[in-house]
Amino acid sequence: MLELAILGFLYDAPLHGYELRKRITALTGHVRPIAESTLYPAIKRLEKAGLLERATEPGAVAAPRHVLTLTEEGRGELRRRLAAPEQRDITDENRWFTVLAFLRHLEDAPAQTAVLRRRLAFLEEPASFFYDGDRPLSAEEIDDPFRRGILTIARATSRAELTWLRETVASLGG
């Protein structure tokens, strides 16, 4: 997820590490905060792989700053990852939002539709956070008001996403 976010934000424009970290944090929120000790090793891995370049520019007041730019190989890698996201990128909501944030960079509508259809198929599977044996429980079957709240909120969110996915797939010609 972190590498995808780095590639995605740098696809849009060159950024300083600090600005990149702010944007990734805004996307992932409090759920997955990005520490410098996580971000900078990921940047170094992508740089070593030839997916991004670092240039130094003088700082206005402080030390010189490093500007990160995506290479053509990095652009291709982003499109590859978007076209074939891992299954956990489809099933984990925060990872899915990262894919979705940059899916526009995959300019092929049928390829975009294929990714959206994978998420749609995942959401259409009966699921719950709570089970009776192998059978998923609905909110109406749960006495605990807090667990019922979890399922009620999840169901509303899923319905909204299903509606959006179906409309978007149809608008893309799928």
Side-chain angles (χ1 to χ4, degrees):
M1 179 192 79
L2 177 58
E3 288 184 359
L4 183 67
I6 292 168
L7 294 171
F9 281 119
L10 291 178
Y11 194 100
D12 292 330
L15 295 169
H16 301 283
Y18 176 74
E19 182 63 30
L20 180 61
R21 183 172 169 225
K22 281 181 18 186
R23 291 183 188 197
I24 293 170
T25 299
L27 178 63
T28 61
H30 67 280
V31 177
R32 295 201 174 125
I34 304 301
E36 287 183 24
S37 61
T38 305
L39 177 63
Y40 290 103
I43 289 171
K44 287 184 183 205
R45 280 192 308 274
L46 294 171
E47 186 177 17
K48 188 175 181 179
L51 304 178
L52 61 89
E53 295 173 339
R54 181 190 316 238
T56 303
E57 67 178 35
V61 177
R65 299 178 350 163
H66 300 284
V67 178
L68 304 167
T69 306
L70 207 59
T71 63
E72 279 307 311
E73 293 82 7
R75 291 178 172 285
E77 178 65 13
L78 175 66
R79 289 188 295 265
R80 185 196 67 72
R81 290 183 187 200
L82 291 171
E86 297 176 17
Q87 185 61 19
R88 66 184 179 180
D89 295 337
I90 299 295
T91 60
D92 178 276
E93 185 173 88
N94 289 305
R95 294 178 74 93
W96 169 244
F97 283 167
T98 303
V99 170
L100 203 53
F102 304 110
L103 196 57
R104 73 182 184 281
H105 297 311
L106 185 60
E107 296 171 359
D108 180 53
Q112 291 171 334
T113 301
V115 173
L116 296 179
R117 284 186 186 281
R118 286 182 59 198
R119 177 68 176 184
L120 188 58
F122 165 71
L123 289 177
E124 288 175 335
E125 281 292 314
S128 178
F129 298 110
F130 311 107
Y131 288 82
D132 179 12
D134 289 341
R135 186 179 66 79
L137 293 173
S138 68
E140 297 77 19
E141 298 175 286
I142 295 180
D143 293 330
D144 180 330
F146 308 107
R147 286 187 169 195
R148 190 170 50 250
I150 290 170
L151 291 179
T152 300
I153 293 165
R155 183 176 12 177
T157 302
S158 290
R159 283 183 186 151
E161 187 176 356
L162 284 165
T163 298
W164 176 83
L165 281 165
R166 290 176 182 132
E167 290 171 356
T168 305
V169 165
S171 74
L172 291 171

